[in-house]
Amino acid sequence: MDQVLDLHPEDFDVSVQPGVTRNALNSYLRDTGLWFPVDPGADASLCGMAATSASGTNAVRYGTMRENVMNMEVVLPDGTIINTAGKDRRTKKTAAGYNLTNIYVGSEGTLGIITKTTLRLYGIPETIMAAVCSFPSVQAAVDTTVMTMQSGIPIARIEFLDDVMMDACNKFGGLDYPVAPTLFLEFHGSEKNVADQAEAVAEIAQMNEGSDFQMASDPAQRKKLWSARHNAWYAGLALKPGSKGCATDVCVPISRLPEVIVETKEDISKSSLIGPIVGHVGDGNFHSLLIIDPDDPAQIEEAHVLHERMARRALAVGGTCTGEHGIGLGKRHLLREEMGEGTFNVMKALKHALDPKNIMNPEKVIPV
């Protein structure tokens, strides 16, 4: 089931089977002038990306899977096949009935199996420019992000790596970036618009004591400039060979992002663990990667405690315990706290109504 089923370039949409991956779709689209921009960092299957409500580095400009899935074919636990927006429907908006599509986006396989998804497509930008800028502090880097978003600049990517992660990336990739909190940025649009966007963000960065931009428009140079961000996971693990990564994420209102990242970084620094931080900070979303010895129960427990505090820190400022990674088994108790008892019970009732025998990813998200 790896076929691109229906492409409507004039309507900017496409339908795919569950075996079609993000890279495979964009390869299929390369001669149309269109692309699918949601990029979780791996060549994931698109139906799987829908099931997990994936997002990633481009979400600040193009949205997450939740904004880009128009319809889905789903097999329910009893074998019934439904189309969440109606068979063959592919409109950009609808006010018809309940939004079943968004119930299944992010359902983590607990309500049915997605066998087809219809996706929004976008025109490939005329010009793409990448930039990198370092800062004297986490606060300065994140303040630059907040000011950029508040200025209405339509930035395509704005990624944060802290000093620990930059040091790891330098060692792993033989790079020579400053070991300091750093933003990786990307601008999409016409040549003039991209130049104007980059100039405006550079001015904001300078107001926050940021370095001069390193910039690149050539695809090969852009790839080289972004290599630190793309290899961050592997670079983090290389800090302690033989270790494993224990990762989690939260998302907060963007105005509260500076304080939450700073507090989380301070919390990790007081522990016995190494914990680089990276973030899709234009969305208020960031991740911690705690490097642990998988055979050391004390380190595993310490990682869980740090992650629990990080999640509760986000909840305390009106955020969510997960912006990307999902609930799974590990954050079920936090879901109940985040949603409140009434809303959680509605979710539980929905699970029971659609999957009364609890055969779809049992105990994930909603314990029955």
Side-chain angles (χ1 to χ4, degrees), residues 6 57 81 97 101 104 113 115 162 168 187 198 237 252 276 288 307 313 352:
D6 297 293
T57 59
I81 299 174
T101 301
Y104 278 93
I113 298 172
T115 53
D162 74 353
F187 309 94
L237 293 180
V252 299
S288 71
H307 282 169
R313 201 173 289 121
H352 181 71

Side-chain angles (χ1 to χ4, degrees), residues 326-339:
I327 296 297
L329 294 172
K331 290 188 174 181
R332 292 179 303 175
H333 64 296
L334 292 166
L335 176 65
R336 184 188 292 266
E337 183 176 328
E338 179 174 328
M339 293 298 165

Side-chain angles (χ1 to χ4, degrees), residues 52-70:
T52 56
S53 191
S55 53
T57 59
N58 282 319
V60 65
R61 173 73 175 267
Y62 298 101
T64 70
M65 288 300 285
R66 196 170 294 281
E67 291 78 41
N68 286 287
V69 174
M70 302 167 69

